[in-house]
Amino acid sequence: MNSNEISINHRKIGSNHPPYIIAELSANHNGSIDTAIKTIKMAKEMGADAVKIQTYTADTMTIDCDKEDFKISDGLWDGYSLHQLYQEAHTPYEWHEQLFSYAAEIGITLFSSPFDETAVDLLETLETPAYKIASFELTDLPLIEYVAKTLKPMIMSTGMANLTEIEEAITCAQQAGCKELIILHCISAYPAPAQESNLATIQDLARRFNVIVGLSDHTLSNTVAITATALGACVIEKHVTLSRENKGPDCEFSLEPFELKALCNETTIAWQALGNAGYELKPAELQNKKFRRSIYFVEDITENTIITKQHIRRIRPGFGLAPKYYNDIIGKKTSQAIKRGTPVAKHLIK
């Protein structure tokens, strides 16, 4: 994996640090700023590093039109028009200042996905510490360029994008001034089938583009995210909700509080377990080394006795010579009288 490192609000992100956990609020506020605030508080208490919101209005996202092009015909939002969905799901611009202030007050990072230039302008007035480009906007190169010119850290999701589109987005961001870039592997299905996660892509992205890579995960458990961490994902993004019983637009594939806490804990353990390649004795092994096999005298014998297989055995514990010396010892003479249960040592053999 690459050794790149960036910081968002002084939290270092990279392979030498625990995974950065982003709790995606999305539309799970269900139109209530109180619910949004409670969700931010929950994310902080459960151990997330950041909360992400989305900055758009129905009219900046699409137009109000009844043509078939603008209607959703399957999935969680079957029957909605795009305008209806975004009208219901958006986080009102007038909430943003209060949400940013509250997050700062309780000590958790808050940033957002802008969906057009007016959203970027709003977020700049709020001094957002970073930006996220959603999968569906990865091909909107003018938006990516506009965000990159803020010189803030950028996170970009790759759902649905082919290799050429990913390369174009990365090149666009970097040429427009972005120096701190994270790419999130993503499957844009809601929920996403775990068997289609293709997590091997994480390491391929890191090799191809020499950027920090993570996972935006829409599967229904934490298993995929934990596996991604073991493959080098430095960032994990998951949708969260106070309760799936709230039936918000994204609730079906969102984590409840105890699940978010488990995600934070388990991905950290997975990252810790990676460690470094090496074969030195680990601290946890020290006490057990004495229980290895070694060579012991198993009979009382006198000085100058020729050692035979009846006199010695390879047994536990491990205070004698290593078993590899067994055949060398057979036929040698003892240098002194020896009691049964004495570990074989070089000074006891002529």
Side-chain angles (χ1 to χ4, degrees), residues 210-284:
N210 192 33
V211 293
I212 295 171
V213 179
L215 175 71
S216 180
D217 182 25
H218 304 129
T219 60
L220 295 178
S221 75
N222 288 334
T223 303
V224 170
I226 295 164
T227 306
T229 303
L231 289 170
C234 300
V235 176
I236 301 293
E237 180 186 67
K238 273 279 212 179
H239 285 65
V240 299
T241 181
L242 295 175
S243 172
R244 281 190 287 273
E245 293 182 1
N246 292 340
K247 302 299 182 187
D250 299 331
C251 273
E252 183 178 330
F253 56 91
S254 298
L255 299 182
E256 292 186 328
F258 72 96
E259 294 167 324
L260 175 59
K261 185 174 184 179
L263 175 73
C264 296
N265 292 339
E266 291 164 8
T267 53
T268 295
I269 292 169
W271 170 78
Q272 290 170 334
L274 283 172
N276 299 297
Y279 303 95
E280 68 283 355
L281 195 67
K282 307 304 183 291

Side-chain angles (χ1 to χ4, degrees), residues 21-177:
I21 305 299
I22 302 170
E24 166 66 84
L25 174 60
S26 185
N28 286 337
H29 51 68
N30 287 348
S32 165
I33 190 171
D34 185 55
T35 298
I37 287 171
K38 287 179 178 177
T39 305
I40 294 170
K41 182 173 186 281
M42 178 274 289
K44 166 70 174 177
E45 291 173 345
M46 295 302 107
D49 294 289
V51 173
K52 191 185 77 64
I53 60 175
Q54 298 180 354
T55 305
Y56 64 86
T57 68
D59 293 320
T60 64
M61 193 70 89
T62 188
I63 59 173
D64 189 0
C65 182
D66 289 332
K67 288 187 175 181
E68 285 301 312
D69 285 2
F70 295 85
K71 290 183 178 178
I72 303 170
S73 58
D74 55 22
L76 293 178
W77 306 298
D78 183 29
Y80 280 78
S81 72
L82 290 176
H83 195 273
Q84 287 171 333
L85 171 62
Y86 301 134
Q87 185 63 41
E88 180 178 315
H90 79 290
T91 302
Y93 279 24
E94 56 267 26
W95 292 7
H96 277 55
E97 185 174 359
Q98 186 175 346
L99 296 182
F100 270 84
S101 295
Y102 180 72
E105 180 184 320
I106 66 171
I108 189 169
T109 295
L110 182 73
F111 60 93
S112 185
S113 292
F115 290 83
D116 80 325
E117 288 81 353
T118 67
V120 179
D121 294 342
L122 170 64
L123 293 167
E124 279 297 285
T125 69
L126 298 171
E127 299 183 344
T128 182
Y131 285 94
K132 164 77 188 298
I133 301 295
S135 290
F136 290 79
E137 274 57 49
L138 192 72
T139 57
D140 188 349
L141 299 184
L143 175 63
I144 290 173
E145 181 181 6
Y146 197 80
V147 171
K149 286 180 176 178
T150 69
L151 306 182
K152 302 277 180 67
M154 291 179 68
I155 302 169
M156 300 198 297
S157 279
T158 62
M160 301 170 294
N162 60 37
L163 190 58
T164 298
E165 290 167 339
I166 294 169
E167 185 170 12
E168 287 174 347
I170 290 173
T171 300
C172 176
Q174 292 175 335
Q175 289 183 346

